[in-house]
Coordinates of all heavy atoms in Angstrom, one line a residue:
M23 N -11.3 -12.2 -9.1 CA -11.6 -11.3 -8.1 C -11.2 -11.7 -6.7 O -11.1 -12.9 -6.5 CB -13.2 -11.0 -8.0 CG -13.6 -10.0 -9.1 SD -14.9 -9.1 -8.5 CE -16.2 -9.6 -9.6
S24 N -10.9 -10.9 -5.9 CA -10.4 -11.3 -4.5 C -11.6 -11.0 -3.6 O -12.7 -10.4 -4.0 CB -9.1 -10.6 -4.2 OG -9.4 -9.2 -3.9
G25 N -11.3 -11.1 -2.3 CA -12.2 -10.8 -1.3 C -12.8 -9.4 -1.1 O -13.8 -9.1 -0.8
N26 N -11.9 -8.5 -1.6 CA -12.4 -7.1 -1.6 C -13.2 -6.6 -2.8 O -13.4 -5.4 -2.9 CB -11.1 -6.1 -1.5 CG -10.1 -6.3 -2.5 OD1 -10.4 -6.9 -3.5 ND2 -8.9 -5.7 -2.5
G27 N -13.6 -7.4 -3.6 CA -14.5 -7.3 -4.6 C -13.9 -6.5 -5.8 O -14.6 -6.2 -6.8
I28 N -12.6 -6.4 -6.0 CA -11.9 -5.8 -7.2 C -11.7 -6.8 -8.3 O -11.2 -7.8 -8.1 CB -10.5 -5.2 -6.7 CG1 -10.8 -4.0 -5.7 CG2 -9.8 -4.7 -8.0 CD1 -9.5 -3.3 -5.2
N29 N -12.1 -6.4 -9.4 CA -11.7 -7.2 -10.7 C -10.4 -6.8 -11.1 O -10.3 -5.7 -11.8 CB -12.8 -7.0 -11.7 CG -12.7 -7.8 -12.9 OD1 -11.6 -8.3 -13.2 ND2 -13.7 -7.9 -13.7
W30 N -9.4 -7.6 -10.9 CA -8.1 -7.2 -11.1 C -7.7 -7.1 -12.6 O -6.7 -6.4 -12.9 CB -7.1 -8.2 -10.4 CG -7.3 -8.2 -8.9 CD1 -7.9 -9.1 -8.2 CD2 -6.8 -7.3 -8.1 NE1 -8.0 -8.8 -6.7 CE2 -7.2 -7.5 -6.7 CE3 -6.0 -6.0 -8.3 CZ2 -6.9 -6.8 -5.6 CZ3 -5.8 -5.3 -7.2 CH2 -6.3 -5.6 -5.9
D31 N -8.5 -7.7 -13.4 CA -8.3 -7.5 -14.9 C -8.5 -5.9 -15.3 O -8.0 -5.6 -16.2 CB -9.2 -8.3 -15.7 CG -8.8 -9.9 -15.6 OD1 -7.6 -10.1 -15.3 OD2 -9.8 -10.7 -15.6
K32 N -9.4 -5.3 -14.6 CA -9.8 -4.0 -14.9 C -8.8 -2.9 -14.4 O -8.8 -1.6 -14.9 CB -11.2 -3.6 -14.3 CG -12.2 -4.6 -14.7 CD -13.3 -3.9 -15.5 CE -14.4 -4.8 -15.9 NZ -14.9 -4.6 -17.2
V33 N -7.9 -3.3 -13.5 CA -6.9 -2.3 -13.0 C -5.6 -2.1 -13.8 O -4.9 -1.1 -13.8 CB -6.4 -2.6 -11.5 CG1 -7.6 -2.8 -10.6 CG2 -5.5 -3.9 -11.4
L34 N -5.4 -2.9 -14.9 CA -4.2 -2.9 -15.7 C -4.2 -1.6 -16.4 O -5.2 -1.1 -17.0 CB -4.2 -4.0 -16.7 CG -4.0 -5.3 -16.1 CD1 -4.1 -6.6 -17.1 CD2 -2.6 -5.5 -15.4
K35 N -3.0 -1.0 -16.4 CA -2.8 0.4 -17.2 C -3.5 1.5 -16.5 O -3.5 2.7 -17.0 CB -3.2 0.4 -18.6 CG -2.4 -0.8 -19.3 CD -0.9 -0.4 -19.3 CE -0.2 -1.6 -20.0 NZ 1.2 -1.7 -19.9
K36 N -4.1 1.4 -15.2 CA -4.7 2.4 -14.5 C -3.7 3.0 -13.6 O -2.8 2.5 -13.2 CB -5.9 1.9 -13.7 CG -6.9 1.2 -14.5 CD -7.6 2.2 -15.4 CE -8.8 1.4 -16.3 NZ -9.4 2.2 -17.4
K37 N -4.0 4.4 -13.2 CA -3.1 5.0 -12.3 C -3.3 4.4 -10.9 O -4.2 4.0 -10.5 CB -3.6 6.5 -12.2 CG -3.4 7.3 -13.4 CD -3.9 8.7 -13.2 CE -3.8 9.4 -14.5 NZ -4.4 10.9 -14.3
A38 N -2.1 4.4 -10.2 CA -1.9 4.0 -8.7 C -1.7 5.3 -7.8 O -0.7 5.9 -8.2 CB -0.9 2.9 -8.7
R39 N -2.3 5.3 -6.8 CA -2.2 6.4 -5.9 C -2.0 6.0 -4.5 O -2.8 5.0 -4.2 CB -3.3 7.5 -6.1 CG -3.4 8.3 -7.3 CD -2.2 9.3 -7.5 NE -2.5 10.1 -8.8 CZ -1.6 9.9 -9.8 NH1 -0.8 8.9 -9.9 NH2 -1.8 10.6 -10.8
G40 N -1.4 6.7 -3.6 CA -1.3 6.3 -2.3 C -2.0 7.3 -1.5 O -2.7 8.2 -2.0
L41 N -1.6 7.4 -0.2 CA -2.3 8.5 0.7 C -1.8 9.8 0.3 O -0.6 10.0 -0.3 CB -1.8 8.1 2.2 CG -2.4 6.8 2.7 CD1 -1.6 6.6 4.1 CD2 -3.8 6.8 2.8
D42 N -2.5 10.9 0.5 CA -2.3 12.2 0.0 C -2.0 12.4 -1.4 O -1.1 13.0 -1.8 CB -1.1 12.8 0.8 CG -1.3 12.9 2.4 OD1 -2.6 13.1 2.7 OD2 -0.4 12.6 3.2
N43 N -2.6 11.4 -2.2 CA -2.5 11.4 -3.8 C -1.2 11.2 -4.2 O -0.7 11.7 -5.3 CB -3.0 12.7 -4.3 CG -3.6 12.6 -5.7 OD1 -4.1 11.5 -6.1 ND2 -3.4 13.6 -6.5
A44 N -0.3 10.4 -3.4 CA 1.0 10.1 -3.8 C 1.0 9.3 -5.2 O 0.3 8.4 -5.3 CB 1.8 9.3 -2.8
D45 N 1.7 9.7 -6.0 CA 1.8 9.0 -7.5 C 2.6 7.8 -7.2 O 3.9 7.8 -6.9 CB 2.4 10.1 -8.5 CG 2.5 9.5 -10.0 OD1 2.1 8.4 -10.1 OD2 2.9 10.1 -10.7
L46 N 2.1 6.7 -7.6 CA 2.7 5.3 -7.5 C 2.8 4.7 -8.9 O 3.1 3.5 -9.0 CB 1.9 4.5 -6.4 CG 1.8 5.0 -5.0 CD1 1.0 3.9 -4.3 CD2 3.2 5.3 -4.5
G47 N 2.6 5.5 -9.9 CA 2.8 5.0 -11.3 C 1.6 4.4 -11.9 O 0.4 4.7 -11.4
K48 N 1.7 3.6 -12.8 CA 0.5 2.8 -13.4 C 0.8 1.3 -13.2 O 1.8 0.9 -13.2 CB 0.5 3.2 -14.9 CG 0.1 4.6 -15.2 CD -0.2 4.7 -16.7 CE -1.0 5.9 -17.1 NZ -1.3 6.1 -18.3
V49 N -0.4 0.7 -13.1 CA -0.6 -0.7 -12.9 C 0.1 -1.4 -14.2 O -0.5 -1.1 -15.3 CB -1.9 -1.2 -12.5 CG1 -1.8 -2.7 -12.3 CG2 -2.3 -0.5 -11.2
Q50 N 1.1 -2.3 -14.2 CA 1.6 -3.0 -15.2 C 1.2 -4.4 -15.2 O 1.0 -4.9 -16.4 CB 3.1 -2.9 -15.2 CG 3.7 -1.4 -15.4 CD 3.2 -0.7 -16.6 OE1 3.3 -1.3 -17.6 NE2 2.7 0.5 -16.6
E51 N 1.0 -5.0 -14.1 CA 0.7 -6.4 -13.9 C 0.1 -6.7 -12.6 O 0.4 -6.0 -11.7 CB 2.2 -7.1 -14.1 CG 2.2 -8.6 -14.2 CD 3.5 -9.1 -14.5 OE1 4.5 -8.4 -14.4 OE2 3.5 -10.4 -14.7
V52 N -0.7 -7.7 -12.6 CA -1.2 -8.3 -11.3 C -0.9 -9.8 -11.3 O -1.2 -10.5 -12.1 CB -2.8 -8.1 -11.3 CG1 -3.5 -8.7 -10.1 CG2 -3.2 -6.6 -11.4
L53 N -0.1 -10.0 -10.2 CA 0.4 -11.4 -10.0 C -0.5 -11.9 -8.8 O -1.1 -11.2 -8.1 CB 1.9 -11.4 -9.7 CG 2.8 -10.9 -10.7 CD1 4.1 -10.7 -10.2 CD2 2.8 -11.6 -11.9
P54 N -0.3 -13.2 -8.5 CA -1.0 -13.6 -7.2 C -0.6 -12.9 -5.9 O 0.5 -13.0 -5.6 CB -0.7 -15.2 -7.3 CG -0.3 -15.5 -8.6 CD 0.3 -14.3 -9.2
G55 N -1.5 -12.2 -5.5 CA -1.2 -11.4 -4.2 C -0.4 -10.2 -4.3 O 0.0 -9.5 -3.5
I56 N 0.1 -9.8 -5.6 CA 0.9 -8.7 -5.8 C 0.5 -7.8 -7.0 O -0.1 -8.4 -8.0 CB 2.3 -9.2 -6.3 CG1 3.0 -10.0 -5.1 CG2 3.3 -7.9 -6.6 CD1 3.4 -9.4 -3.9
V57 N 0.6 -6.5 -6.8 CA 0.2 -5.5 -7.9 C 1.5 -4.9 -8.2 O 2.2 -4.3 -7.4 CB -0.8 -4.5 -7.4 CG1 -1.1 -3.4 -8.5 CG2 -2.1 -5.2 -7.0
V58 N 1.9 -4.9 -9.5 CA 3.1 -4.4 -10.0 C 2.8 -3.0 -10.6 O 2.0 -2.9 -11.6 CB 3.9 -5.3 -11.0 CG1 5.2 -4.7 -11.5 CG2 4.1 -6.6 -10.4
T59 N 3.5 -1.9 -10.2 CA 3.3 -0.6 -11.0 C 4.5 -0.2 -11.3 O 5.7 -0.6 -10.9 CB 2.7 0.5 -9.9 OG1 3.7 0.8 -8.9 CG2 1.5 -0.1 -9.2
E60 N 4.6 0.8 -12.3 CA 5.8 1.4 -12.9 C 5.6 2.9 -12.9 O 4.6 3.3 -13.4 CB 6.1 0.8 -14.3 CG 7.5 1.0 -14.8 CD 7.7 0.3 -16.1 OE1 7.1 0.6 -17.1 OE2 8.6 -0.4 -16.1
K61 N 6.6 3.6 -12.5 CA 6.7 5.1 -12.5 C 7.9 5.5 -13.2 O 9.0 5.1 -12.9 CB 6.6 5.5 -11.1 CG 6.4 6.9 -10.8 CD 6.4 7.4 -9.4 CE 6.6 8.8 -9.2 NZ 6.7 9.2 -7.9
G62 N 7.7 6.7 -13.9 CA 8.8 7.2 -14.5 C 9.0 7.0 -16.1 O 8.5 6.0 -16.5
L63 N 9.6 7.9 -16.7 CA 9.9 7.7 -18.2 C 11.3 7.2 -18.4 O 11.6 6.2 -18.9 CB 9.6 9.1 -18.9 CG 8.2 9.5 -18.8 CD1 8.0 10.8 -19.4 CD2 7.3 8.6 -19.5
A64 N 12.3 8.1 -18.2 CA 13.7 7.7 -18.4 C 14.3 6.8 -17.2 O 14.8 5.7 -17.5 CB 14.6 9.0 -18.5
D65 N 14.0 7.2 -16.0 CA 14.3 6.3 -14.9 C 13.2 5.7 -14.4 O 12.4 6.2 -13.5 CB 15.0 7.2 -13.8 CG 16.3 7.8 -14.1 OD1 17.0 7.2 -14.9 OD2 16.7 8.9 -13.7
R66 N 12.9 4.5 -14.9 CA 11.7 3.7 -14.5 C 11.9 3.0 -13.2 O 13.0 2.3 -13.1 CB 11.3 2.8 -15.5 CG 10.8 3.5 -16.8 CD 10.3 2.6 -17.9 NE 9.9 3.4 -18.9 CZ 9.5 3.0 -20.2 NH1 9.6 1.6 -20.3 NH2 9.1 3.7 -21.1
N67 N 10.9 3.0 -12.3 CA 11.0 2.4 -11.0 C 9.8 1.4 -11.1 O 8.6 2.0 -11.3 CB 11.0 3.3 -9.8 CG 12.3 4.0 -9.7 OD1 13.3 3.5 -9.8 ND2 12.1 5.4 -9.7
K68 N 10.0 0.2 -10.6 CA 8.9 -0.7 -10.5 C 8.6 -0.9 -9.0 O 9.6 -0.9 -8.2 CB 9.1 -2.0 -11.1 CG 9.0 -2.1 -12.5 CD 8.9 -3.6 -13.2 CE 8.7 -3.4 -14.6 NZ 8.5 -4.7 -15.2
F69 N 7.4 -1.0 -8.7 CA 7.0 -1.2 -7.3 C 6.1 -2.5 -7.3 O 5.4 -2.9 -8.1 CB 6.0 -0.1 -6.8 CG 6.7 1.2 -6.7 CD1 6.9 2.0 -7.8 CD2 7.4 1.5 -5.5 CE1 7.6 3.3 -7.7 CE2 8.1 2.8 -5.4 CZ 8.1 3.6 -6.4
Y70 N 6.3 -3.4 -6.3 CA 5.7 -4.7 -6.0 C 4.8 -4.5 -4.8 O 5.4 -4.9 -3.7 CB 6.6 -5.8 -6.1 CG 7.4 -5.9 -7.3 CD1 8.5 -5.1 -7.6 CD2 7.0 -6.9 -8.3 CE1 9.2 -5.3 -8.8 CE2 7.7 -6.9 -9.6 CZ 8.9 -6.1 -9.7 OH 9.4 -6.2 -10.9
F71 N 3.6 -4.2 -4.8 CA 2.8 -4.0 -3.7 C 1.9 -5.1 -3.4 O 1.3 -5.8 -4.3 CB 1.8 -2.7 -4.0 CG 2.5 -1.4 -4.0 CD1 2.4 -0.7 -5.2 CD2 3.3 -1.0 -3.0 CE1 3.1 0.5 -5.5 CE2 3.9 0.3 -3.2 CZ 3.8 0.9 -4.5
P72 N 1.8 -5.6 -2.0 CA 0.9 -6.7 -1.8 C -0.6 -6.2 -2.1 O -0.8 -5.0 -1.7 CB 1.1 -6.9 -0.3 CG 2.4 -6.2 0.1 CD 2.6 -5.2 -1.0
Q73 N -1.4 -7.1 -2.5 CA -2.9 -6.6 -2.7 C -3.4 -6.3 -1.5 O -4.4 -5.5 -1.5 CB -3.6 -7.8 -3.4 CG -3.2 -8.0 -4.9 CD -3.9 -9.1 -5.5 OE1 -4.6 -9.9 -5.0 NE2 -3.8 -9.2 -6.9
T74 N -3.0 -6.7 -0.4 CA -3.7 -6.4 1.0 C -3.5 -4.9 1.3 O -4.2 -4.3 2.2 CB -3.0 -7.2 2.1 OG1 -1.5 -7.0 2.1 CG2 -3.3 -8.7 2.0
L75 N -2.6 -4.1 0.5 CA -2.4 -2.7 0.8 C -3.4 -1.9 -0.1 O -3.4 -0.7 0.0 CB -1.0 -2.3 0.5 CG 0.0 -2.8 1.5 CD1 1.4 -2.3 1.1 CD2 -0.3 -2.2 2.9
V76 N -4.2 -2.6 -1.0 CA -5.2 -1.8 -1.8 C -6.4 -1.4 -0.9 O -6.9 -2.2 -0.2 CB -5.5 -2.7 -3.0 CG1 -6.7 -2.0 -3.9 CG2 -4.4 -2.9 -3.9
D77 N -6.8 -0.2 -1.1 CA -7.8 0.4 -0.4 C -9.1 0.2 -1.1 O -10.0 -0.4 -0.8 CB -7.6 1.8 0.0 CG -8.7 2.4 0.8 OD1 -9.4 1.6 1.6 OD2 -9.1 3.6 0.7
K78 N -9.0 0.7 -2.5 CA -10.2 0.6 -3.3 C -9.8 1.0 -4.8 O -8.7 1.4 -5.0 CB -11.3 1.5 -2.9 CG -11.0 3.1 -2.9 CD -12.1 3.7 -2.5 CE -11.5 5.3 -2.4 NZ -12.6 6.2 -1.8
F79 N -10.7 0.7 -5.7 CA -10.5 0.9 -7.1 C -11.9 1.6 -7.6 O -12.9 1.0 -7.4 CB -10.3 -0.4 -7.9 CG -10.1 -0.1 -9.5 CD1 -9.1 0.7 -9.9 CD2 -10.9 -0.7 -10.4 CE1 -9.1 0.8 -11.3 CE2 -10.8 -0.6 -11.6 CZ -9.9 0.3 -12.2
D80 N -11.7 2.8 -8.2 CA -12.9 3.5 -8.5 C -13.1 3.5 -10.0 O -14.0 4.3 -10.6 CB -12.8 5.1 -8.0 CG -11.6 5.8 -8.8 OD1 -11.1 5.3 -9.8 OD2 -11.5 7.0 -8.5
G81 N -12.4 2.7 -10.7 CA -12.7 2.6 -12.1 C -11.5 3.2 -13.0 O -11.3 2.8 -14.1
G82 N -10.8 4.1 -12.3 CA -9.8 4.9 -12.9 C -8.5 5.0 -12.1 O -7.5 5.1 -12.8
I83 N -8.6 4.9 -10.8 CA -7.4 5.0 -10.0 C -7.5 3.8 -8.9 O -8.5 3.5 -8.4 CB -7.4 6.2 -9.3 CG1 -7.2 7.4 -10.3 CG2 -6.3 6.3 -8.2 CD1 -7.4 8.8 -9.7
L84 N -6.4 3.1 -8.8 CA -6.2 2.2 -7.8 C -5.5 2.7 -6.5 O -4.5 3.3 -6.7 CB -5.4 1.0 -8.3 CG -5.2 -0.2 -7.4 CD1 -6.6 -1.0 -7.1 CD2 -4.2 -1.2 -7.9
L85 N -6.3 2.9 -5.4 CA -5.8 3.5 -4.4 C -5.2 2.6 -3.2 O -5.9 1.7 -2.8 CB -7.0 4.4 -3.6 CG -6.6 5.2 -2.4 CD1 -5.6 6.3 -2.9 CD2 -7.9 5.9 -1.9
F86 N -4.0 2.9 -2.8 CA -3.4 2.1 -1.8 C -3.4 2.8 -0.5 O -3.3 4.0 -0.3 CB -1.9 1.9 -2.3 CG -1.7 1.0 -3.4 CD1 -1.8 1.4 -4.8 CD2 -1.4 -0.4 -3.2 CE1 -1.6 0.5 -5.7 CE2 -1.2 -1.3 -4.2 CZ -1.3 -0.9 -5.5
K87 N -3.2 2.0 0.6 CA -3.2 2.5 1.9 C -1.8 2.7 2.5 O -1.4 2.0 3.5 CB -4.0 1.5 2.9 CG -5.3 1.2 2.5 CD -6.0 0.3 3.4 CE -5.7 -1.1 3.0 NZ -6.5 -2.2 3.7
L88 N -1.1 3.5 1.7 CA 0.4 3.7 2.2 C 0.9 5.0 1.6 O 0.3 5.5 0.6 CB 1.4 2.6 1.8 CG 1.9 2.5 0.4 CD1 3.0 1.5 0.4 CD2 0.7 2.0 -0.5
S89 N 1.8 5.8 2.2 CA 2.2 7.0 1.9 C 3.3 6.8 0.9 O 3.9 5.7 0.6 CB 2.9 7.7 3.2 OG 3.9 7.0 3.5
R90 N 3.9 7.8 0.4 CA 4.9 7.9 -0.7 C 6.2 7.3 0.0 O 6.9 6.4 -0.6 CB 5.3 9.3 -1.2 CG 6.4 9.3 -2.2 CD 6.6 10.8 -2.7 NE 5.6 11.7 -2.7 CZ 4.8 12.0 -3.9 NH1 5.1 11.4 -4.9 NH2 3.8 12.7 -3.9
S91 N 6.6 7.8 1.2 CA 7.8 7.2 1.9 C 7.6 5.6 2.2 O 8.6 5.0 2.0 CB 8.1 8.0 3.1 OG 7.1 7.9 4.0
E92 N 6.4 5.2 2.5 CA 6.2 3.8 2.8 C 6.3 3.0 1.6 O 6.7 1.9 1.6 CB 4.8 3.6 3.5 CG 4.8 4.2 4.8 CD 3.3 4.2 5.4 OE1 2.3 4.4 4.6 OE2 3.2 4.0 6.6
A93 N 5.9 3.6 0.4 CA 6.0 2.9 -0.8 C 7.4 2.5 -1.3 O 7.6 1.5 -2.0 CB 5.3 3.7 -2.0
E94 N 8.3 3.3 -0.9 CA 9.7 3.1 -1.2 C 10.3 1.7 -0.8 O 11.2 1.1 -1.3 CB 10.7 4.2 -0.6 CG 10.5 5.5 -1.4 CD 10.9 5.4 -2.8 OE1 12.0 4.8 -3.2 OE2 10.2 5.9 -3.6
A95 N 9.6 1.1 0.2 CA 10.1 -0.3 0.7 C 9.7 -1.2 -0.4 O 10.2 -2.3 -0.2 CB 9.3 -0.5 2.1
Y96 N 8.8 -1.0 -1.2 CA 8.3 -1.9 -2.2 C 8.9 -1.7 -3.6 O 8.5 -2.2 -4.6 CB 6.9 -1.9 -2.3 CG 6.2 -2.3 -1.0 CD1 5.7 -1.3 0.0 CD2 6.0 -3.6 -0.6 CE1 5.2 -1.6 1.2 CE2 5.4 -4.0 0.6 CZ 5.1 -2.9 1.5 OH 4.6 -3.3 2.8
R97 N 10.0 -0.7 -3.6 CA 10.4 -0.4 -4.9 C 11.7 -1.3 -5.3 O 12.5 -1.7 -4.5 CB 11.0 1.0 -4.9 CG 11.7 1.5 -6.3 CD 11.8 3.0 -6.2 NE 12.7 3.3 -5.2 CZ 13.9 3.7 -5.4 NH1 14.6 3.5 -6.5 NH2 14.8 4.0 -4.4
N98 N 11.8 -1.7 -6.6 CA 12.9 -2.5 -7.0 C 13.2 -1.8 -8.4 O 12.5 -2.1 -9.4 CB 12.4 -3.9 -7.3 CG 13.5 -4.9 -7.7 OD1 14.6 -4.4 -7.9 ND2 13.2 -6.1 -7.8
A99 N 14.2 -1.0 -8.4 CA 14.7 -0.2 -9.6 C 15.3 -1.1 -10.6 O 15.7 -2.1 -10.4 CB 15.5 0.8 -9.1

């Protein structure tokens, strides 16, 4: 667990959303300080978000404090 109280083991395979319910894929992996999400079926995109951008986890959705356009800066296709 980190300082924000999230049990990172519980976020695996959960939906990731940004501001305005932006779809950021599903959580694939949690690395030290990084949350890796993947979005898409045929054209898969991976995103590498700093854990500091996480707002909260409600048990089903990991909510980030960034918009869809801001998320593009963290994409690594």
Side-chain angles (χ1 to χ4, degrees):
M23 281 214 239
S24 72
N26 61 9
I28 294 174
N29 182 338
W30 296 105
D31 292 331
K32 302 238 183 224
V33 305
L34 293 174
K35 303 297 180 192
K36 302 297 184 185
K37 293 178 184 177
R39 294 285 187 259
L41 300 175
D42 297 324
N43 203 33
D45 183 1
L46 303 177
K48 285 193 173 183
V49 177
Q50 299 300 312
E51 190 175 8
V52 177
L53 304 170
I56 301 289
V57 178
V58 181
T59 70
E60 188 172 69
K61 181 180 172 190
L63 296 173
D65 292 327
R66 293 184 179 172
N67 291 304
K68 282 193 174 185
F69 295 85
Y70 296 84
F71 298 112
Q73 287 179 355
T74 56
L75 291 177
V76 172
D77 184 28
K78 63 184 174 183
F79 178 59
D80 69 5
I83 297 174
L84 187 64
L85 185 62
F86 287 86
K87 302 178 277 192
L88 76 167
S89 68
R90 182 185 322 266
S91 61
E92 291 169 326
E94 287 301 312
Y96 299 95
R97 182 168 58 100
N98 185 358

